[in-house]
Amino acid sequence: MEVLNDILGYKNRKIYQDTDYFSFSLDSIMLANFATIRLRDRLICDLGCGNGVIPLILSLRTNKNIVGVEIQKKLSDMAIKSVDLNKLSDQIKIINIDMKKFVNSEYFESFDLITCNPPYFKVNDKSFFNESYEKMIARHEIEINLSELLLVVNKLLKNNGNFAIVHRPERLMEILFEFRKNHIEPKRIQFVHEKASKGSTLVLIEGQKNGKDGLKIENPIIMYNEDGSFTDEYELLQNEVR
């Protein structure tokens, strides 16, 4: 069922969602805040944009043009509706295409920044058989795997362009290997913890195409206090681009 909501923490951004599809999560919101937007950047891309949450949040941080790429027609249609509703069609363009085919478009080596909240799980995981196909391809590497994703990113990024991704910490070494294999030098890493007393559940990573050596480990994001309330740092993160 299709519903219209505020993006969590952003009352000036409305978004269409469908309960039959994979809905956006805090992962996407944190990625949209984490990615570096430089003054010289002119064109931004969100790969696997779903219903458009990352482009919508990025539009609060910059007036530069943003392209969202989504393979699922239903999700791309919802993203377009959300873009139109928020009166952002002059800034955000949504394209319904497999990103592996998108690399052969006019956008080859065109983007200054690419973001992606990809499927986290390899296809040998067995937990998805009872899910809909739409949710399966959002969670699991059925349509594209990590190695294929980084190859796409390498082809779409300009020289010295940035790529930001959110993923699971248990795949960090694999991610860093794929970054460097595709000439994207890791520059920033930030771990996300639900509580200070628990291990990291997410990791945010940013790299630069043909960038110089030099990796910065950012202070971790702690989302909740032990009593379950938002931490001051997480509330500040949400307030940064409201």
Side-chain angles (χ1 to χ4, degrees):
M1 181 177 68
E2 191 172 294
V3 294
L4 178 64
N5 299 118
D6 290 323
I7 296 177
L8 182 63
Y10 305 94
K11 295 186 181 301
N12 53 348
R13 286 292 182 269
K14 302 284 187 181
I15 191 166
Y16 286 98
Q17 299 197 83
D18 193 313
T19 54
D20 293 331
Y21 286 73
F22 189 75
S23 299
F24 77 86
S25 62
L26 290 174
D27 308 19
S28 294
I29 295 174
M30 285 187 285
L31 178 61
N33 281 276
F34 172 77
T36 300
I37 302 175
R38 301 164 297 187
L39 289 176
R40 70 173 186 261
D41 291 347
R42 293 291 179 267
L43 188 60
I44 298 169
C45 179
D46 182 43
L47 293 173
C49 71
N51 58 351
V53 61
I54 290 177
L56 289 171
I57 297 176
L58 289 175
S59 71
L60 291 165
R61 299 183 55 200
T62 180
N63 60 3
K64 306 305 181 184
N65 290 330
I66 303 168
V67 177
V69 177
E70 174 53 47
I71 190 173
Q72 296 192 63
K73 182 67 162 58
K74 174 66 174 179
L75 287 176
S76 65
D77 286 347
M78 282 194 292
I80 291 169
K81 285 178 63 176
S82 296
V83 168
D84 290 343
L85 180 68
N86 289 281
K87 297 180 171 35
L88 293 167
S89 57
D90 289 341
Q91 181 183 8
I92 300 174
K93 179 179 182 180
I94 305 297
I95 301 175
N96 174 218
I97 191 172
D98 184 333
M99 67 179 78
K100 288 181 286 189
K101 297 179 180 178
F102 183 64
V103 296
N104 298 318
S105 71
E106 63 191 274
Y107 292 102
F108 182 78
E109 293 187 342
S110 292
F111 294 105
D112 299 287
L113 169 65
I114 296 175
T115 59
C116 185
N117 181 1
Y120 291 157
F121 305 110
K122 296 184 179 182
V123 293
N124 57 4
D125 291 335
K126 304 300 182 182
S127 60
F128 62 86
F129 289 124
N130 292 326
E131 294 180 325
S132 68
Y133 183 75
E134 290 78 15
K135 290 183 178 180
M136 282 165 49
I137 66 173
R139 297 177 189 270
H140 300 269
E141 294 179 335
I142 295 172
E143 293 291 343
I144 191 165
N145 61 35
L146 187 61
S147 181
E148 292 168 333
L149 170 62
L150 266 294
L151 182 62
V152 168
V153 170
N154 180 42
K155 291 181 178 180
L156 291 173
L157 268 184
K158 286 181 179 178
N159 191 45
N160 295 319
N162 286 338
F163 172 55
I165 187 173
V166 59
H167 219 293
R168 292 294 182 99
E170 56 264 33
R171 298 191 67 181
L172 177 58
M173 296 309 297
E174 182 184 357
I175 294 166
L176 296 179
F177 173 80
E178 294 295 342
F179 265 51
R180 281 194 153 176
K181 187 174 77 172
N182 288 281
H183 311 290
I184 299 170
E185 182 64 24
K187 302 296 289 183
R188 297 169 58 222
I189 293 179
Q190 187 169 38
F191 293 97
V192 180
H193 302 251
E194 290 185 4
K195 296 181 179 180
S197 60
K198 295 186 176 182
S200 174
T201 54
L202 290 172
V203 62
L204 297 151
I205 308 163
E206 185 173 70
Q208 185 177 55
K209 185 175 180 180
N210 297 317
K212 297 179 180 179
D213 291 348
L215 175 63
K216 179 180 181 182
I217 306 297
E218 304 279 6
N219 291 333
I221 297 173
I222 311 297
M223 294 172 57
Y224 302 101
N225 296 307
E226 294 302 320
D227 64 3
S229 61
F230 282 134
T231 60
D232 291 342
E233 64 182 311
Y234 184 64
E235 288 193 340
L236 178 63
L237 177 68
Q238 287 188 312
N239 283 325
E240 280 183 353
V241 295
R242 281 187 196 176

